[in-house]
Structure formats: structure tokens, C-alpha cells
Amino acid sequence: MPIIFEQVSYTYDEDTPWSKQALLDVDLRIEDGDFVGIVGPTGSGKSTLIQHMNGLLKPTSGRVVVNGIEVSSDSKDMRQLRRMVGLVFQYPEHQLFEETLRDDIAFGPRNLDLDAEEVQRRVEWACSAVGLPEELLDRSPFELSGGQMRRAAIAGVLAMECDVLILDEPTAGLDPRGQSEMLDLLDALRRQGLTIIMVSHSIDQLVQLADRIVVMFEGRVMLQGQTREVFAKSEALRQASLDLPEVAKIMEKIREGGVPVSSDVLTVREATDAILEVLRGDGDAQGRHNHRAVHSG
Ligand code: ADP
């Protein structure tokens, strides 16, 4: 079932001199199985937005309904909501604290009063889902590499068997290999049917993964739509202080240099095709690129 925001506004410290409006009239709909990227400058409301999706924050006005549960209703429903919607904060590995990886991943499921066998099944499943070898389960989480620690923290959330996984800058601070492994992991989880919502400043990463993009600016949804549509609106992105994908910037330079390559290019593969088309003297490069799918590179 979808995640729905209707005219949602949120104010921190309402009715105090330091009150701060963080969301304003947000309308959103995220369908099951969607991979949604959330972008926007610092302070634009991304973190406030995602905390409404698992009930950590409740709207000051408007409605948030997640999988049929109204965020604002009683605490019994909120427990169920937190189980369905896993939220992975920035640098989640800072929250690893148990002596072994096994105990860390088991922490959430144990709080659900599951029997020991079911807890163990979930720990092993989550460990393998994030691509960590089972041998690591009895080690201290602090012996793992940075990328492994982050995946361990995500395993702890997955062990709750959530339907929706929300991640705030999941590749921040990882080396290029760790980043690419993280993106592969998210892609694999999406293919297993999870709804994934990822806050990221990396348009290049979102171009590879996201079906839809929500651009936040000063607490409002400034733009939303299919990844390709949104990232083609370079003026709007600049207005929100967002960068174009690297490939699009290079193509822009090539066009400024007088070579008529297509402007609708977001991935390296598409750039290669567009340049080859010009070299071959194919005049219809633009038209064909307009129909290319999002995940083509
Ligand atoms: P982003 O995640 O896009 O950086 P946030 O949702 O964190 O944006 O913040 C949106 C606005 O709300 C900012 O102006 C920020 O200063 C303010 N804000 C965020 N958290 C709090 C808080 N706990 N108390 C008061 N103001 C906050």
C-alpha cells in the first residue's frame, strides 16, 4: 500500500519564539516497490520529511498515511508502522553497540518478542541479504570495514522484515568500492520488492537507481516526477542549488563547443551513444534519446 502525504506541514517547536517551519503543504504519493530519490539543499526538509514516514514525527497539519496507517493515530499502530518502515539514519554504524554482529542484528527482532529460532532465522537472512559472510556474525562489529559496518547496520533494520526501507545518505563517507557495493545492495533489495526511499546529494547515483525523484526546496516539494523528467529540468535544479549529473555537464560543454550532441543524456552509456550518433552523422539523435528508459546505463 502506498505512502501518502496530503497537505503536510511541520513546524519544530511550535508556539515558541524559536519555532521553525520545516515542511509546507507537502503532497506526495509513493507506490509499493518504487525506488524514490529525495534531493534538495541542506535545510530543505528532507530529513523532516522521511521522519514522518515511520511516525518519528507527526504532521503539524495535513495527513500522512503509510500502508493504510494514519501517522498520528494511537501507539499500537505506531509500533506496527515502525516495524513496516525501516529508517536508516546517516552513519548508522555509529549506532552499532553490541559485542557481536549477531547480537546487533538481533536487537530489533528480540524486541518484537519473537522466539529464539525465528530471531536466528532473521539474523542469518539479514546478514546474507546485505552480503556479509556468516562467519562474521560472531565477531565484534568494530572489527569490520567501514562499508561492512554500514551494511551490518542496515541488516539490523532489515531483520525487522520491513516493507519500506528509508536511507539518509547511505553512501556518505564510504570509499568508491564501498559506495558501489552499497548501490548494488540497494538495487538487489529493490528487486526483492522493497520500497526504497533514499535521500542523496548524488544525482549520479540516483540516475542509476531511482524510478522517481522528489526535489525539496525550503520545506516544499519543488519538483517531483520520473527521474529522467526531473533531471532534464536543469534550470529548476540549479535554482534549488543542485548540480546536474556529471555526464550531463560534460555533454553541455560539448554542445557549447559546437558539437550538436543530444541534451537528453544522463548516463555514460547514453553519452557514448549520443556521441557516436553525431560522429556517424545521424541527425535524429535527439528524438531517439527522448524515448530511452531510465536504467539504460
Ligand atoms: P535537510 O534534511 O534537508 O537538511 P531538515 O529536515 O533537517 O533538512 O531541516 C529542515 C529545517 O528544519 C531546517 O531549517 C532545520 O534547521 C530545521 N530543523 C531540523 N531539525 C530541527 C530540530 N530538531 N529543531 C528545530 N529545527 C530543526
Side-chain angles (χ1 to χ4, degrees), residues 57-105:
L57 295 178
K58 292 175 185 170
T60 308
S61 64
R63 291 177 76 210
V64 178
V65 183
V66 179
N67 286 5
I69 296 177
E70 173 115 21
V71 174
S72 70
S73 49
D74 64 38
S75 57
K76 200 174 98 238
D77 278 353
M78 287 301 103
R79 254 194 103 188
Q80 201 194 340
L81 181 65
R82 301 238 164 96
R83 196 161 50 194
M84 288 189 310
V85 181
L87 182 52
V88 179
F89 285 103
Q90 276 187 46
Y91 298 97
E93 59 277 16
H94 294 169
Q95 285 155 39
L96 297 170
F97 62 95
E98 296 280 358
E99 268 178 34
T100 64
L101 182 56
R102 181 184 302 281
D103 284 341
D104 236 306
I105 301 177

mmCIF file of all heavy atoms in Angstrom, residues 57-105:
data_model
loop_
_atom_site.group_PDB
_atom_site.id
_atom_site.type_symbol
_atom_site.label_atom_id
_atom_site.label_comp_id
_atom_site.label_asym_id
_atom_site.label_seq_id
_atom_site.Cartn_x
_atom_site.Cartn_y
_atom_site.Cartn_z
ATOM 1 N N LEU A 57 8.071 11.626 13.480
ATOM 2 C CA LEU A 57 7.452 12.948 13.569
ATOM 3 C C LEU A 57 6.023 12.827 13.066
ATOM 4 O O LEU A 57 5.735 12.016 12.193
ATOM 5 C CB LEU A 57 8.218 13.966 12.720
ATOM 6 C CG LEU A 57 9.650 14.295 13.144
ATOM 7 C CD1 LEU A 57 10.275 15.278 12.153
ATOM 8 C CD2 LEU A 57 9.695 14.870 14.557
ATOM 9 N N LYS A 58 5.153 13.657 13.631
ATOM 10 C CA LYS A 58 3.757 13.658 13.181
ATOM 11 C C LYS A 58 3.426 15.034 12.636
ATOM 12 O O LYS A 58 3.882 16.041 13.183
ATOM 13 C CB LYS A 58 2.844 13.299 14.350
ATOM 14 C CG LYS A 58 3.081 11.860 14.739
ATOM 15 C CD LYS A 58 2.344 11.396 15.952
ATOM 16 C CE LYS A 58 2.811 9.970 16.237
ATOM 17 N NZ LYS A 58 2.347 9.470 17.520
ATOM 18 N N PRO A 59 2.629 15.095 11.575
ATOM 19 C CA PRO A 59 2.399 16.390 10.933
ATOM 20 C C PRO A 59 1.754 17.409 11.879
ATOM 21 O O PRO A 59 0.910 17.038 12.700
ATOM 22 C CB PRO A 59 1.451 16.064 9.771
ATOM 23 C CG PRO A 59 0.995 14.672 9.968
ATOM 24 C CD PRO A 59 1.923 13.996 10.907
ATOM 25 N N THR A 60 2.184 18.656 11.749
ATOM 26 C CA THR A 60 1.536 19.741 12.490
ATOM 27 C C THR A 60 0.153 19.984 11.871
ATOM 28 O O THR A 60 -0.820 20.224 12.571
ATOM 29 C CB THR A 60 2.383 21.034 12.401
ATOM 30 O OG1 THR A 60 3.719 20.729 12.781
ATOM 31 C CG2 THR A 60 1.835 22.113 13.300
ATOM 32 N N SER A 61 0.087 19.904 10.539
ATOM 33 C CA SER A 61 -1.221 19.890 9.872
ATOM 34 C C SER A 61 -1.116 19.032 8.620
ATOM 35 O O SER A 61 -0.028 18.772 8.129
ATOM 36 C CB SER A 61 -1.681 21.309 9.537
ATOM 37 O OG SER A 61 -0.799 21.880 8.608
ATOM 38 N N GLY A 62 -2.268 18.582 8.124
ATOM 39 C CA GLY A 62 -2.278 17.673 6.979
ATOM 40 C C GLY A 62 -2.263 16.223 7.444
ATOM 41 O O GLY A 62 -2.342 15.950 8.648
ATOM 42 N N ARG A 63 -2.178 15.291 6.482
ATOM 43 C CA ARG A 63 -2.250 13.853 6.805
ATOM 44 C C ARG A 63 -1.100 13.088 6.174
ATOM 45 O O ARG A 63 -0.727 13.351 5.034
ATOM 46 C CB ARG A 63 -3.520 13.233 6.222
ATOM 47 C CG ARG A 63 -4.784 13.653 6.847
ATOM 48 C CD ARG A 63 -5.936 12.998 6.102
ATOM 49 N NE ARG A 63 -6.092 11.577 6.450
ATOM 50 C CZ ARG A 63 -6.561 10.659 5.621
ATOM 51 N NH1 ARG A 63 -6.860 10.970 4.371
ATOM 52 N NH2 ARG A 63 -6.704 9.412 6.021
ATOM 53 N N VAL A 64 -0.575 12.119 6.934
ATOM 54 C CA VAL A 64 0.358 11.152 6.371
ATOM 55 C C VAL A 64 -0.251 9.773 6.593
ATOM 56 O O VAL A 64 -0.611 9.435 7.725
ATOM 57 C CB VAL A 64 1.739 11.227 7.060
ATOM 58 C CG1 VAL A 64 2.672 10.170 6.493
ATOM 59 C CG2 VAL A 64 2.356 12.614 6.904
ATOM 60 N N VAL A 65 -0.412 9.012 5.526
ATOM 61 C CA VAL A 65 -0.960 7.653 5.648
ATOM 62 C C VAL A 65 0.041 6.686 5.016
ATOM 63 O O VAL A 65 0.412 6.836 3.849
ATOM 64 C CB VAL A 65 -2.330 7.527 4.946
ATOM 65 C CG1 VAL A 65 -2.901 6.133 5.154
ATOM 66 C CG2 VAL A 65 -3.297 8.579 5.456
ATOM 67 N N VAL A 66 0.516 5.726 5.818
ATOM 68 C CA VAL A 66 1.536 4.793 5.347
ATOM 69 C C VAL A 66 0.982 3.380 5.431
ATOM 70 O O VAL A 66 0.606 2.932 6.523
ATOM 71 C CB VAL A 66 2.817 4.903 6.204
ATOM 72 C CG1 VAL A 66 3.876 3.920 5.722
ATOM 73 C CG2 VAL A 66 3.368 6.322 6.178
ATOM 74 N N ASN A 67 0.926 2.691 4.307
ATOM 75 C CA ASN A 67 0.364 1.339 4.274
ATOM 76 C C ASN A 67 -0.967 1.279 5.026
ATOM 77 O O ASN A 67 -1.229 0.357 5.785
ATOM 78 C CB ASN A 67 1.327 0.328 4.899
ATOM 79 C CG ASN A 67 2.503 0.023 3.986
ATOM 80 O OD1 ASN A 67 2.644 0.635 2.928
ATOM 81 N ND2 ASN A 67 3.334 -0.907 4.384
ATOM 82 N N GLY A 68 -1.784 2.283 4.833
ATOM 83 C CA GLY A 68 -3.102 2.288 5.458
ATOM 84 C C GLY A 68 -3.120 2.771 6.899
ATOM 85 O O GLY A 68 -4.186 2.898 7.496
ATOM 86 N N ILE A 69 -1.942 3.035 7.482
ATOM 87 C CA ILE A 69 -1.909 3.501 8.880
ATOM 88 C C ILE A 69 -1.751 5.010 8.900
ATOM 89 O O ILE A 69 -0.856 5.567 8.265
ATOM 90 C CB ILE A 69 -0.734 2.861 9.646
ATOM 91 C CG1 ILE A 69 -0.924 1.351 9.733
ATOM 92 C CG2 ILE A 69 -0.595 3.475 11.028
ATOM 93 C CD1 ILE A 69 0.218 0.632 10.413
ATOM 94 N N GLU A 70 -2.623 5.663 9.617
ATOM 95 C CA GLU A 70 -2.570 7.118 9.724
ATOM 96 C C GLU A 70 -1.520 7.486 10.765
ATOM 97 O O GLU A 70 -1.587 7.061 11.916
ATOM 98 C CB GLU A 70 -3.967 7.614 10.121
ATOM 99 C CG GLU A 70 -4.024 9.069 10.416
ATOM 100 C CD GLU A 70 -4.900 9.828 9.411
ATOM 101 O OE1 GLU A 70 -5.759 9.197 8.757
ATOM 102 O OE2 GLU A 70 -4.708 11.044 9.307
ATOM 103 N N VAL A 71 -0.516 8.288 10.341
ATOM 104 C CA VAL A 71 0.530 8.714 11.278
ATOM 105 C C VAL A 71 -0.063 9.816 12.139
ATOM 106 O O VAL A 71 -0.319 10.909 11.654
ATOM 107 C CB VAL A 71 1.765 9.247 10.515
ATOM 108 C CG1 VAL A 71 2.790 9.813 11.495
ATOM 109 C CG2 VAL A 71 2.382 8.149 9.680
ATOM 110 N N SER A 72 -0.296 9.526 13.357
ATOM 111 C CA SER A 72 -0.942 10.419 14.333
ATOM 112 C C SER A 72 -1.905 9.596 15.156
ATOM 113 O O SER A 72 -2.372 10.032 16.187
ATOM 114 C CB SER A 72 -1.714 11.591 13.703
ATOM 115 O OG SER A 72 -2.874 11.117 13.051
ATOM 116 N N SER A 73 -2.156 8.370 14.684
ATOM 117 C CA SER A 73 -3.107 7.543 15.424
ATOM 118 C C SER A 73 -2.434 6.934 16.664
ATOM 119 O O SER A 73 -1.325 7.302 17.027
ATOM 120 C CB SER A 73 -3.674 6.459 14.515
ATOM 121 O OG SER A 73 -2.633 5.805 13.843
ATOM 122 N N ASP A 74 -3.098 5.964 17.285
ATOM 123 C CA ASP A 74 -2.629 5.515 18.597
ATOM 124 C C ASP A 74 -1.328 4.718 18.533
ATOM 125 O O ASP A 74 -0.875 4.296 17.479
ATOM 126 C CB ASP A 74 -3.731 4.724 19.316
ATOM 127 C CG ASP A 74 -4.074 3.464 18.564
ATOM 128 O OD1 ASP A 74 -3.158 2.829 18.022
ATOM 129 O OD2 ASP A 74 -5.270 3.115 18.520
ATOM 130 N N SER A 75 -0.747 4.489 19.705
ATOM 131 C CA SER A 75 0.609 3.964 19.766
ATOM 132 C C SER A 75 0.711 2.517 19.268
ATOM 133 O O SER A 75 1.763 2.091 18.810
ATOM 134 C CB SER A 75 1.135 4.070 21.181
ATOM 135 O OG SER A 75 0.266 3.390 22.035
ATOM 136 N N LYS A 76 -0.373 1.777 19.339
ATOM 137 C CA LYS A 76 -0.320 0.393 18.868
ATOM 138 C C LYS A 76 -0.027 0.367 17.366
ATOM 139 O O LYS A 76 0.811 -0.375 16.883
ATOM 140 C CB LYS A 76 -1.659 -0.298 19.165
ATOM 141 C CG LYS A 76 -1.556 -1.807 19.158
ATOM 142 C CD LYS A 76 -2.845 -2.457 19.590
ATOM 143 C CE LYS A 76 -3.631 -2.885 18.389
ATOM 144 N NZ LYS A 76 -4.952 -2.398 18.173
ATOM 145 N N ASP A 77 -0.721 1.235 16.645
ATOM 146 C CA ASP A 77 -0.478 1.338 15.210
ATOM 147 C C ASP A 77 0.932 1.839 14.922
ATOM 148 O O ASP A 77 1.550 1.440 13.951
ATOM 149 C CB ASP A 77 -1.476 2.306 14.569
ATOM 150 C CG ASP A 77 -2.802 1.622 14.290
ATOM 151 O OD1 ASP A 77 -2.863 0.401 14.473
ATOM 152 O OD2 ASP A 77 -3.748 2.316 13.902
ATOM 153 N N MET A 78 1.424 2.746 15.763
ATOM 154 C CA MET A 78 2.756 3.305 15.530
ATOM 155 C C MET A 78 3.822 2.227 15.643
ATOM 156 O O MET A 78 4.811 2.236 14.933
ATOM 157 C CB MET A 78 3.053 4.445 16.521
ATOM 158 C CG MET A 78 2.311 5.730 16.247
ATOM 159 S SD MET A 78 2.663 6.408 14.603
ATOM 160 C CE MET A 78 1.197 5.938 13.751
ATOM 161 N N ARG A 79 3.620 1.290 16.552
ATOM 162 C CA ARG A 79 4.582 0.182 16.688
ATOM 163 C C ARG A 79 4.630 -0.625 15.404
ATOM 164 O O ARG A 79 5.677 -0.987 14.911
ATOM 165 C CB ARG A 79 4.150 -0.738 17.833
ATOM 166 C CG ARG A 79 5.028 -0.577 19.058
ATOM 167 C CD ARG A 79 4.798 -1.702 20.023
ATOM 168 N NE ARG A 79 5.872 -2.692 19.968
ATOM 169 C CZ ARG A 79 5.831 -3.849 20.602
ATOM 170 N NH1 ARG A 79 4.790 -4.187 21.316
ATOM 171 N NH2 ARG A 79 6.844 -4.680 20.526
ATOM 172 N N GLN A 80 3.432 -0.898 14.890
ATOM 173 C CA GLN A 80 3.360 -1.675 13.652
ATOM 174 C C GLN A 80 4.013 -0.904 12.504
ATOM 175 O O GLN A 80 4.717 -1.462 11.675
ATOM 176 C CB GLN A 80 1.895 -1.951 13.339
ATOM 177 C CG GLN A 80 1.725 -3.129 12.409
ATOM 178 C CD GLN A 80 0.323 -3.175 11.836
ATOM 179 O OE1 GLN A 80 -0.599 -2.579 12.387
ATOM 180 N NE2 GLN A 80 0.167 -3.881 10.736
ATOM 181 N N LEU A 81 3.784 0.402 12.505
ATOM 182 C CA LEU A 81 4.351 1.246 11.449
ATOM 183 C C LEU A 81 5.876 1.205 11.481
ATOM 184 O O LEU A 81 6.533 1.057 10.455
ATOM 185 C CB LEU A 81 3.860 2.683 11.645
ATOM 186 C CG LEU A 81 4.340 3.693 10.611
ATOM 187 C CD1 LEU A 81 3.788 3.352 9.238
ATOM 188 C CD2 LEU A 81 3.930 5.106 10.998
ATOM 189 N N ARG A 82 6.452 1.310 12.668
ATOM 190 C CA ARG A 82 7.925 1.307 12.778
ATOM 191 C C ARG A 82 8.506 -0.017 12.323
ATOM 192 O O ARG A 82 9.639 -0.074 11.871
ATOM 193 C CB ARG A 82 8.348 1.578 14.231
ATOM 194 C CG ARG A 82 7.835 2.885 14.729
ATOM 195 C CD ARG A 82 8.880 3.859 15.219
ATOM 196 N NE ARG A 82 8.246 5.164 15.288
ATOM 197 C CZ ARG A 82 7.716 5.686 16.389
ATOM 198 N NH1 ARG A 82 7.835 5.052 17.538
ATOM 199 N NH2 ARG A 82 7.122 6.850 16.349
ATOM 200 N N ARG A 83 7.711 -1.073 12.486
ATOM 201 C CA ARG A 83 8.193 -2.371 12.039
ATOM 202 C C ARG A 83 8.141 -2.465 10.508
ATOM 203 O O ARG A 83 9.005 -3.049 9.887
ATOM 204 C CB ARG A 83 7.309 -3.455 12.654
ATOM 205 C CG ARG A 83 7.923 -4.812 12.592
ATOM 206 C CD ARG A 83 7.270 -5.722 13.569
ATOM 207 N NE ARG A 83 5.821 -5.684 13.439
ATOM 208 C CZ ARG A 83 4.968 -6.172 14.318
ATOM 209 N NH1 ARG A 83 5.409 -6.706 15.423
ATOM 210 N NH2 ARG A 83 3.683 -6.117 14.130
ATOM 211 N N MET A 84 7.118 -1.862 9.931
ATOM 212 C CA MET A 84 6.967 -1.941 8.471
ATOM 213 C C MET A 84 7.919 -1.026 7.731
ATOM 214 O O MET A 84 8.277 -1.277 6.590
ATOM 215 C CB MET A 84 5.532 -1.549 8.067
ATOM 216 C CG MET A 84 4.512 -2.572 8.429
ATOM 217 S SD MET A 84 2.902 -2.190 7.696
ATOM 218 C CE MET A 84 2.626 -0.510 8.124
ATOM 219 N N VAL A 85 8.261 0.095 8.380
ATOM 220 C CA VAL A 85 9.066 1.110 7.702
ATOM 221 C C VAL A 85 10.397 1.255 8.433
ATOM 222 O O VAL A 85 10.466 1.774 9.532
ATOM 223 C CB VAL A 85 8.329 2.469 7.689
ATOM 224 C CG1 VAL A 85 9.158 3.510 6.949
ATOM 225 C CG2 VAL A 85 6.953 2.324 7.052
ATOM 226 N N GLY A 86 11.464 0.752 7.823
ATOM 227 C CA GLY A 86 12.787 0.828 8.438
ATOM 228 C C GLY A 86 13.473 2.115 8.044
ATOM 229 O O GLY A 86 13.493 2.481 6.871
ATOM 230 N N LEU A 87 14.018 2.813 9.038
ATOM 231 C CA LEU A 87 14.675 4.091 8.769
ATOM 232 C C LEU A 87 16.152 3.962 9.126
ATOM 233 O O LEU A 87 16.496 3.647 10.264
ATOM 234 C CB LEU A 87 13.982 5.177 9.605
ATOM 235 C CG LEU A 87 14.447 6.614 9.471
ATOM 236 C CD1 LEU A 87 14.485 7.050 8.023
ATOM 237 C CD2 LEU A 87 13.516 7.529 10.251
ATOM 238 N N VAL A 88 17.002 4.163 8.136
ATOM 239 C CA VAL A 88 18.450 4.070 8.345
ATOM 240 C C VAL A 88 19.012 5.489 8.311
ATOM 241 O O VAL A 88 19.031 6.134 7.265
ATOM 242 C CB VAL A 88 19.113 3.216 7.235
ATOM 243 C CG1 VAL A 88 20.613 3.138 7.456
ATOM 244 C CG2 VAL A 88 18.494 1.822 7.177
ATOM 245 N N PHE A 89 19.436 5.972 9.471
ATOM 246 C CA PHE A 89 19.938 7.341 9.556
ATOM 247 C C PHE A 89 21.316 7.463 8.916
ATOM 248 O O PHE A 89 21.950 6.464 8.572
ATOM 249 C CB PHE A 89 20.026 7.781 11.017
ATOM 250 C CG PHE A 89 18.686 8.079 11.611
ATOM 251 C CD1 PHE A 89 18.066 7.184 12.464
ATOM 252 C CD2 PHE A 89 18.035 9.261 11.296
ATOM 253 C CE1 PHE A 89 16.819 7.456 13.001
ATOM 254 C CE2 PHE A 89 16.780 9.545 11.826
ATOM 255 C CZ PHE A 89 16.187 8.642 12.681
ATOM 256 N N GLN A 90 21.804 8.688 8.820
ATOM 257 C CA GLN A 90 23.170 8.887 8.319
ATOM 258 C C GLN A 90 24.151 8.230 9.268
ATOM 259 O O GLN A 90 23.968 8.264 10.479
ATOM 260 C CB GLN A 90 23.479 10.387 8.247
ATOM 261 C CG GLN A 90 22.988 11.007 6.968
ATOM 262 C CD GLN A 90 23.448 12.446 6.813
ATOM 263 O OE1 GLN A 90 24.603 12.766 7.029
ATOM 264 N NE2 GLN A 90 22.524 13.298 6.446
ATOM 265 N N TYR A 91 25.218 7.671 8.737
ATOM 266 C CA TYR A 91 26.248 6.995 9.525
ATOM 267 C C TYR A 91 25.628 6.040 10.554
ATOM 268 O O TYR A 91 25.893 6.137 11.740
ATOM 269 C CB TYR A 91 27.172 8.020 10.203
ATOM 270 C CG TYR A 91 27.907 8.862 9.204
ATOM 271 C CD1 TYR A 91 27.444 10.118 8.851
ATOM 272 C CD2 TYR A 91 29.050 8.371 8.576
ATOM 273 C CE1 TYR A 91 28.098 10.884 7.887
ATOM 274 C CE2 TYR A 91 29.717 9.123 7.619
ATOM 275 C CZ TYR A 91 29.236 10.378 7.285
ATOM 276 O OH TYR A 91 29.892 11.119 6.336
ATOM 277 N N PRO A 92 24.793 5.092 10.104
ATOM 278 C CA PRO A 92 24.082 4.211 11.044
ATOM 279 C C PRO A 92 25.042 3.332 11.833
ATOM 280 O O PRO A 92 24.689 2.845 12.910
ATOM 281 C CB PRO A 92 23.187 3.372 10.132
ATOM 282 C CG PRO A 92 23.909 3.338 8.821
ATOM 283 C CD PRO A 92 24.548 4.696 8.697
ATOM 284 N N GLU A 93 26.272 3.147 11.309
ATOM 285 C CA GLU A 93 27.235 2.290 12.022
ATOM 286 C C GLU A 93 27.611 2.881 13.379
ATOM 287 O O GLU A 93 28.088 2.170 14.259
ATOM 288 C CB GLU A 93 28.478 2.019 11.166
ATOM 289 C CG GLU A 93 29.273 3.239 10.731
ATOM 290 C CD GLU A 93 28.695 3.917 9.471
ATOM 291 O OE1 GLU A 93 27.532 3.643 9.117
ATOM 292 O OE2 GLU A 93 29.413 4.730 8.864
ATOM 293 N N HIS A 94 27.358 4.176 13.567
ATOM 294 C CA HIS A 94 27.630 4.762 14.885
ATOM 295 C C HIS A 94 26.689 4.208 15.939
ATOM 296 O O HIS A 94 26.903 4.389 17.124
ATOM 297 C CB HIS A 94 27.492 6.296 14.843
ATOM 298 C CG HIS A 94 28.538 6.941 13.981
ATOM 299 N ND1 HIS A 94 28.487 8.269 13.613
ATOM 300 C CD2 HIS A 94 29.644 6.429 13.407
ATOM 301 C CE1 HIS A 94 29.537 8.538 12.840
ATOM 302 N NE2 HIS A 94 30.249 7.437 12.700
ATOM 303 N N GLN A 95 25.625 3.555 15.473
ATOM 304 C CA GLN A 95 24.671 3.007 16.441
ATOM 305 C C GLN A 95 24.876 1.514 16.702
ATOM 306 O O GLN A 95 24.088 0.900 17.416
ATOM 307 C CB GLN A 95 23.247 3.279 15.965
ATOM 308 C CG GLN A 95 22.884 4.744 16.170
ATOM 309 C CD GLN A 95 21.792 5.212 15.227
ATOM 310 O OE1 GLN A 95 20.856 4.489 14.945
ATOM 311 N NE2 GLN A 95 21.931 6.430 14.729
ATOM 312 N N LEU A 96 25.930 0.934 16.132
ATOM 313 C CA LEU A 96 26.254 -0.454 16.481
ATOM 314 C C LEU A 96 26.829 -0.431 17.892
ATOM 315 O O LEU A 96 27.644 0.428 18.214
ATOM 316 C CB LEU A 96 27.294 -1.024 15.511
ATOM 317 C CG LEU A 96 26.891 -1.125 14.031
ATOM 318 C CD1 LEU A 96 28.095 -1.472 13.170
ATOM 319 C CD2 LEU A 96 25.809 -2.176 13.841
ATOM 320 N N PHE A 97 26.398 -1.353 18.718
ATOM 321 C CA PHE A 97 26.897 -1.263 20.093
ATOM 322 C C PHE A 97 27.057 -2.616 20.788
ATOM 323 O O PHE A 97 27.669 -2.711 21.842
ATOM 324 C CB PHE A 97 25.978 -0.370 20.942
ATOM 325 C CG PHE A 97 24.572 -0.914 21.049
ATOM 326 C CD1 PHE A 97 24.197 -1.692 22.129
ATOM 327 C CD2 PHE A 97 23.655 -0.662 20.046
ATOM 328 C CE1 PHE A 97 22.911 -2.206 22.211
ATOM 329 C CE2 PHE A 97 22.372 -1.169 20.115
ATOM 330 C CZ PHE A 97 22.008 -1.936 21.203
ATOM 331 N N GLU A 98 26.516 -3.684 20.190
ATOM 332 C CA GLU A 98 26.585 -4.972 20.889
ATOM 333 C C GLU A 98 27.971 -5.599 20.731
ATOM 334 O O GLU A 98 28.779 -5.157 19.921
ATOM 335 C CB GLU A 98 25.527 -5.925 20.305
ATOM 336 C CG GLU A 98 24.095 -5.478 20.523
ATOM 337 C CD GLU A 98 23.585 -5.792 21.926
ATOM 338 O OE1 GLU A 98 24.332 -6.396 22.722
ATOM 339 O OE2 GLU A 98 22.432 -5.426 22.215
ATOM 340 N N GLU A 99 28.199 -6.684 21.491
ATOM 341 C CA GLU A 99 29.518 -7.313 21.439
ATOM 342 C C GLU A 99 29.760 -8.070 20.149
ATOM 343 O O GLU A 99 30.880 -8.157 19.669
ATOM 344 C CB GLU A 99 29.689 -8.267 22.619
ATOM 345 C CG GLU A 99 30.331 -7.559 23.783
ATOM 346 C CD GLU A 99 30.466 -8.456 24.982
ATOM 347 O OE1 GLU A 99 30.692 -9.675 24.805
ATOM 348 O OE2 GLU A 99 30.343 -7.927 26.096
ATOM 349 N N THR A 100 28.690 -8.659 19.632
ATOM 350 C CA THR A 100 28.861 -9.383 18.362
ATOM 351 C C THR A 100 27.885 -8.837 17.332
ATOM 352 O O THR A 100 26.843 -8.264 17.670
ATOM 353 C CB THR A 100 28.558 -10.891 18.521
ATOM 354 O OG1 THR A 100 27.170 -11.026 18.864
ATOM 355 C CG2 THR A 100 29.434 -11.537 19.580
ATOM 356 N N LEU A 101 28.253 -9.074 16.085
ATOM 357 C CA LEU A 101 27.384 -8.672 14.986
ATOM 358 C C LEU A 101 26.021 -9.349 15.118
ATOM 359 O O LEU A 101 24.970 -8.743 14.907
ATOM 360 C CB LEU A 101 28.069 -9.074 13.680
ATOM 361 C CG LEU A 101 27.367 -8.707 12.395
ATOM 362 C CD1 LEU A 101 27.088 -7.229 12.319
ATOM 363 C CD2 LEU A 101 28.210 -9.164 11.215
ATOM 364 N N ARG A 102 26.058 -10.633 15.541
ATOM 365 C CA ARG A 102 24.813 -11.392 15.703
ATOM 366 C C ARG A 102 23.858 -10.678 16.666
ATOM 367 O O ARG A 102 22.688 -10.476 16.369
ATOM 368 C CB ARG A 102 25.137 -12.793 16.241
ATOM 369 C CG ARG A 102 23.939 -13.691 16.420
ATOM 370 C CD ARG A 102 24.342 -15.019 17.049
ATOM 371 N NE ARG A 102 25.338 -15.759 16.285
ATOM 372 C CZ ARG A 102 25.075 -16.490 15.203
ATOM 373 N NH1 ARG A 102 23.841 -16.577 14.746
ATOM 374 N NH2 ARG A 102 26.032 -17.122 14.582
ATOM 375 N N ASP A 103 24.399 -10.256 17.822
ATOM 376 C CA ASP A 103 23.544 -9.591 18.811
ATOM 377 C C ASP A 103 23.044 -8.248 18.291
ATOM 378 O O ASP A 103 21.929 -7.820 18.604
ATOM 379 C CB ASP A 103 24.309 -9.381 20.121
ATOM 380 C CG ASP A 103 24.416 -10.683 20.899
ATOM 381 O OD1 ASP A 103 23.622 -11.602 20.622
ATOM 382 O OD2 ASP A 103 25.304 -10.785 21.775
ATOM 383 N N ASP A 104 23.876 -7.592 17.511
ATOM 384 C CA ASP A 104 23.460 -6.303 16.983
ATOM 385 C C ASP A 104 22.286 -6.442 16.029
ATOM 386 O O ASP A 104 21.288 -5.729 16.120
ATOM 387 C CB ASP A 104 24.641 -5.610 16.276
ATOM 388 C CG ASP A 104 24.868 -4.246 16.876
ATOM 389 O OD1 ASP A 104 23.879 -3.483 16.911
ATOM 390 O OD2 ASP A 104 25.975 -3.968 17.334
ATOM 391 N N ILE A 105 22.408 -7.404 15.103
ATOM 392 C CA ILE A 105 21.320 -7.581 14.126
ATOM 393 C C ILE A 105 20.066 -8.097 14.833
ATOM 394 O O ILE A 105 18.944 -7.775 14.456
ATOM 395 C CB ILE A 105 21.753 -8.537 12.986
ATOM 396 C CG1 ILE A 105 22.989 -7.978 12.274
ATOM 397 C CG2 ILE A 105 20.621 -8.744 11.989
ATOM 398 C CD1 ILE A 105 23.545 -8.892 11.185
#
